[in-house]
Amino acid sequence: MASSSDATPSAGNTPEPETGPEGVSAPETAGAPTRRGRVRLRRAAVLAVPAAAVTAGLAILTAHGALGVQFAISGMPFTVTATELDGTGFAQFGGLDNMAEGSPNAGDTGGQVLVVTSVIKEAKLTKLCQSVDLGGTNLLITAGEGDTRVSASDLTTDSTFLSGDASFNNIEIGNDASTLDKAGPKGRGPIGVFSQQADTVHIKNLRQTNYATTAAVFKLPGLKLRFSGSGC
């Protein structure tokens, strides 16, 4: 987490020497008063990103007020799986989704869910499955099980869990989310938020727990919607 030092004189107290990195005292300048360092924590968001090709999960801390989707979420998580995902123009950053005021799903969360927002400019998925637990039964959606894959443009998912075997081309990790450019305008996050982006992404055996999904275009060949005793 980034921090900045805002040094001010210690009024009414015996001044203490400034400390540099690792707690080492900085040398005093002749004739100049010694100042006390006062650390002010800046708003920041940290996304824990695995360096290896296998992505086991993602965890974030998000800046106060950073938003994911721009609509009120239901607060009911849903599962998304695919045997393969191929994407061009990938971006990822931390976000905060909000439920409608008075939502019965808010619990003790205050109606907010901390999420990882993933944006893919152009995505193709094989054997897509989406399910939501309605309490005793699941609403199940499947598509892309034939020769034609599911396709989406400006695909955005707000997730609390993501797993699979992943590989990236020309990945950049540690960008300010407001400067991302590989996934287009929708792939930019709030300023001051830790993020990553890549030219392409491939994920095998994808599994996500999502609270929201949006897309400019979403094509679902072989779409099937039904109720089921089990989810994805």
Side-chain angles (χ1 to χ4, degrees):
M1 179 174 293
S3 62
S4 62
S5 296
D6 184 8
T8 59
S10 180
N13 296 307
T14 303
E16 297 178 7
E18 283 189 316
T19 57
E22 308 300 330
V24 178
S25 297
E28 297 184 10
T29 304
T34 305
R35 300 174 300 174
R36 174 178 297 179
R38 185 179 64 197
V39 177
R40 183 179 68 250
L41 295 179
R42 296 173 54 190
R43 295 186 309 165
V46 179
L47 173 62
V49 182
V54 178
T55 303
L58 297 172
I60 62 167
L61 295 174
T62 185
H64 175 70
L67 296 177
V69 297
Q70 297 301 306
F71 57 80
I73 62 171
S74 69
M76 298 177 65
F78 55 94
T79 299
V80 174
T81 65
T83 56
E84 286 189 293
L85 178 149
D86 290 292
T88 301
F90 170 80
Q92 198 169 62
F93 47 87
L96 191 65
D97 285 353
N98 293 274
M99 302 176 204
E101 186 175 355
S103 172
N105 300 318
D108 59 359
T109 68
Q112 296 182 321
V113 179
L114 206 57
V115 295
V116 175
T117 297
S118 302
V119 183
I120 302 176
K121 185 65 178 174
E122 299 292 339
K124 292 187 179 297
L125 303 97
T126 303
K127 295 184 177 180
L128 175 69
C129 179
Q130 176 180 303
S131 64
V132 57
D133 186 351
L134 301 177
T137 189
N138 292 270
L139 178 60
L140 187 67
I141 297 174
T142 57
E145 295 185 345
D147 294 334
T148 305
R149 306 174 73 188
V150 170
S151 62
S153 60
D154 293 330
L155 177 64
T156 303
T157 58
D158 284 4
S159 312
T160 55
F161 176 82
L162 184 154
S163 69
D165 301 322
S167 60
F168 304 89
N169 285 335
N170 296 323
I171 191 169
E172 301 172 0
I173 300 173
N175 313 60
D176 186 295
S178 67
T179 68
L180 299 180
D181 57 8
K182 293 182 182 289
K186 292 184 180 297
R188 297 193 186 103
I191 190 170
V193 174
F194 190 98
S195 67
Q196 66 170 342
Q197 65 175 353
D199 288 346
T200 64
V201 57
H202 173 80
I203 304 178
K204 187 177 180 180
N205 299 321
L206 170 69
R207 175 172 287 271
Q208 292 177 300
T209 300
N210 293 344
Y211 277 85
T213 297
T214 63
V217 177
F218 211 173
K219 296 182 179 180
L220 300 164
L223 172 66
K224 295 178 182 178
L225 184 152
R226 59 199 182 275
F227 291 103
S228 172
S230 59
C232 299

